[in-house]
Amino acid sequence: MSFVCAAAAASVRISLRCLGTKACPPGQIEQLPMAQLKEIGKNKMFGGFNRRFQHPSSSCGCDMNFSVYFPPAADHGKVPVLYWLSGLTCTDENFIQKSGAQRVAAAEGVAIVCPDTSPRGLGVEGESDSWDFGVGAGFYLNATQEKWKKWRMYDYCTKELPELLRSSFDQLDTKNASIFGHSMGGHGALTIFLKNPDKYKSVSAFAPIANPVNCPWGQKAFSGYLGDDKSLWEEYDASLLSRKYKGHPTKILIDQGDDDKFYKEKQLLPQNIVESELLRVELHLRSGYDHSYFFIASFVEDHIKMHARALKS
């Protein structure tokens, strides 16, 4: 549980440019006419600031929260953006509070952006019945089943949030971005990169759900959000997408603990990602490490430095 002093959390509202209307071409975001961005938390760390925001989302049909770490370099000019996608049950705050990533992000001059993991507060029947489906378990896809039609985290993370950042923060160079994540968020980072290599310089993951069509977590989520059409499932499976990757030459960095309960239960399957001439996989199996943030904090510096090199090249 986190506590923020109300006096320290200055509430600011920023008007955003309209992104489109109901007549937008397919695939574009319908934007609320005058979306408002409200700052709900701010803490100084390693010379920069953790800042938390809330805004009404057109993709998800509810208020969404996200967190940003602005490094000290953001006071003097534009900085590149590194997106972090969190795992099952998490919010936008877990990585900010537990990873210790701000130290190296400050040194490297990289901003870290952490979206939430699902819509919240929509009141959909059964949305909180399971820890691995519904609230806190958006799986970074666009649901096609009517009941879950607001679970559109793919559009939120790839379209709405980047445009919101671009429109709101001059210090963020949103065209110079990379992406990484953990578990369900590792799945999200990998699939989003593999489908959009033109938008990201690099990608990495901690203990990703790398082959969801072949594991219980993925099968439950995909059948619920996407229905029975397995061709839709394949569009959100990193191992299958890796087989047809046509983007710029890339190394995927993956760290996996060998004492990870979910790795042993074959929920993750990181070894199933396929290498090619364009795609190299660097998989580190870390002895004795589990699935927790203790594991992430142990190796997050390696990941951020790799992304920083790509973002500065």
Side-chain angles (χ1 to χ4, degrees):
M1 182 179 295
S2 63
F3 298 89
V4 178
C5 175
S11 180
V12 299
R13 296 184 182 276
I14 304 169
S15 295
L16 303 177
R17 180 174 60 82
C18 178
L19 302 182
T21 68
K22 290 185 177 180
C24 283
Q28 290 190 13
I29 296 296
E30 285 185 13
Q31 181 73 2
L32 296 172
M34 287 295 289
Q36 291 182 319
L37 183 66
K38 182 170 72 170
E39 185 168 15
I40 58 176
K42 183 177 180 180
N43 302 95
K44 190 169 186 178
M45 191 173 187
F46 293 110
F49 284 92
N50 299 316
R51 298 173 66 185
R52 194 175 188 220
F53 300 93
Q54 183 178 87
H55 72 103
S57 166
S58 58
S59 299
C60 300
C62 63
D63 284 347
M64 294 290 285
N65 297 335
F66 67 91
S67 295
V68 184
Y69 177 68
F70 292 89
D75 291 340
H76 311 292
K78 284 185 175 293
V79 294
V81 173
L82 177 56
Y83 292 96
W84 169 267
L85 305 185
S86 285
L88 292 164
T89 76
C90 290
T91 71
D92 60 294
E93 294 189 286
N94 294 72
F95 185 78
I96 291 293
Q97 294 177 351
K98 295 181 178 181
S99 70
Q102 292 90 334
R103 179 183 60 81
V104 65
E108 296 290 344
V110 174
I112 299 177
V113 175
C114 305
D116 203 348
T117 55
S118 77
R120 296 180 190 269
L122 290 173
V124 175
E125 183 182 1
E127 66 178 16
S128 298
D129 287 355
S130 301
W131 65 273
D132 55 357
F133 185 85
V135 171
F139 270 83
Y140 304 100
L141 50 72
N142 287 338
T144 59
Q145 299 303 287
E146 180 65 20
K147 181 177 180 179
W148 304 102
K149 63 183 179 181
K150 293 300 184 180
W151 264 249
R152 300 186 64 82
M153 291 303 295
Y154 178 83
D155 274 357
Y156 179 77
C157 291
T158 62
K159 297 176 183 178
E160 184 176 3
L161 182 57
E163 178 58 22
L164 181 64
L165 296 171
R166 187 200 65 78
S167 301
S168 304
F169 303 107
D170 290 339
Q171 63 268 56
L172 297 183
D173 184 2
T174 55
K175 291 185 177 180
N176 190 19
S178 291
I179 190 166
F180 68 151
H182 171 234
S183 193
M184 178 186 71
H187 142 78
L190 293 173
T191 55
I192 285 172
F193 175 86
L194 292 168
K195 290 160 73 78
N196 304 276
D198 56 317
K199 292 185 177 182
Y200 307 96
K201 295 285 185 68
S202 53
V203 62
S204 69
F206 292 86
I209 304 173
N211 193 192
V213 303
N214 287 319
C215 77
W217 277 343
Q219 290 163 355
K220 178 179 179 178
F222 288 2
S223 61
Y225 293 134
L226 302 173
D228 296 330
D229 185 348
K230 299 294 180 66
S231 66
L232 295 178
W233 296 23
E234 293 176 2
E235 290 302 309
Y236 298 102
D237 186 295
S239 293
L240 298 179
L241 291 170
S242 68
R243 300 175 186 178
K244 53 184 180 181
Y245 177 74
K246 301 297 183 184
H248 54 84
T250 297
K251 177 186 77 173
I252 297 177
L253 173 62
I254 298 176
D255 273 298
Q256 172 65 62
D258 72 357
D259 200 29
D260 183 330
K261 170 186 175 182
F262 305 117
Y263 175 70
K264 294 176 180 179
E265 293 175 352
K266 301 189 184 305
Q267 292 278 21
L268 306 175
L269 305 172
Q271 68 278 4
N272 288 3
I273 297 177
V274 177
E275 288 192 308
S276 67
E277 290 185 2
L278 295 174
L279 202 63
R280 184 166 67 89
V281 179
E282 186 176 314
L283 173 59
H284 298 279
L285 199 59
R286 302 295 189 177
S287 177
Y289 285 91
D290 57 19
H291 200 71
S292 71
Y293 265 88
F294 299 112
F295 159 60
I296 294 170
S298 298
F299 301 103
V300 72
E301 181 172 355
D302 296 342
H303 286 243
I304 293 176
K305 286 185 173 181
M306 183 204 79
H307 292 298
R309 289 192 295 271
L311 291 165
K312 295 172 183 178
S313 63

